[in-house]
Amino acid sequence: MSNAPSDFLAEGPHIRVGDEAWPVRVVRHAQSRRYRLVFDGARGELRLTVPRRTNERAALKWASEQQAWLVEQVGKAALPVIVGPGASLPFRGTLRHIDWTPTAPRAIRLDDMTLRVGGPAESVGRRIERWLKAEALDLMERESRDIAGAAGLSVGRVGVGDPRSRWGSCTHDGDLRYSWRLVMAPDHVRRATVAHEVAHLRHMDHSAAFHALVDELHDGDVAAARGWLRREGRALHRYRFTA
């Protein structure tokens, strides 16, 4: 079975890894002095950074010659999952099947292990994404204010986004922002992240006092939650909601 993304060959440069073709995003950078090849497993693409004035064909030839490295990286890849009718995705740590019936209501309904949805098939993914974001904001705003209130701390605005480099952030004004994809993780992982950001309302650092407060605020094993994110967090970005 091929591991390469099925929508790759339509346009753009590509590199063959063994018998498979993988997309390459060529990035020209003024400060680059050499080629740099990175594999983004969550996006299912290679990223080739090159000097601004370079021959793209020569750069792609160099990249294609790195076969041993390419085979190793592609072998570790988490393949993209297009969310739509018949697919499955995690919600609060449990894999849920998407049961689509055209005549059913368009609104997403959680029924035990199933997400039930109707309406146009082509918009199912986008509607599920909007539902997940709303669920994430509702959960994490409520948890942030509850945890902060119990510790005598004040929260400003709470929001969600889709950053790739962090799961949460806290500003000096007391605003908290989270990755909405945490709603796909187990509850204890999400709550540990909320406790982490709430603790920053008192300690804008990662001192011993900060970590002690996180342990105090979280109702579970903080180390276990951090471990889960290190092992599994990247895979949460493999879910795509538009083809």
Side-chain angles (χ1 to χ4, degrees), residues 12 69 200:
W69 181 87
H200 276 313

Side-chain angles (χ1 to χ4, degrees), residues 40-148:
D40 187 337
R43 290 183 181 273
E45 69 175 14
L46 292 152
R47 185 169 63 253
L48 176 60
T49 302
V50 301
R52 187 173 296 280
R53 293 184 179 181
T54 197
N55 183 298
E56 183 173 307
R57 181 175 295 180
L60 289 168
K61 181 177 183 295
W62 170 85
S64 69
E65 292 169 350
Q66 315 306 310
Q67 282 294 307
W69 181 87
L70 288 165
V71 168
E72 180 183 4
Q73 297 304 308
V74 166
K76 300 175 183 176
L79 301 183
V81 174
I82 304 302
V83 176
S88 296
L89 79 162
F91 175 68
R92 299 184 67 169
T94 300
L95 199 63
R96 320 282 181 161
H97 177 73
I98 300 170
D99 184 357
W100 171 71
T101 304
T103 56
R106 292 169 57 99
I108 313 300
R109 182 166 60 90
L110 177 62
D111 181 8
D112 192 22
M113 306 291 287
T114 303
L115 292 176
R116 301 194 184 280
V117 61
E122 62 272 16
S123 67
V124 166
R126 292 191 299 275
R127 282 184 280 132
I128 288 177
E129 182 181 25
R130 288 196 297 269
W131 179 80
L132 288 170
K133 289 178 178 178
E135 290 288 317
L137 180 58
D138 179 68
L139 273 171
M140 288 188 282
E141 179 161 23
R142 179 158 31 89
E143 290 169 344
S144 296
R145 298 194 186 282
D146 287 348
I147 293 172

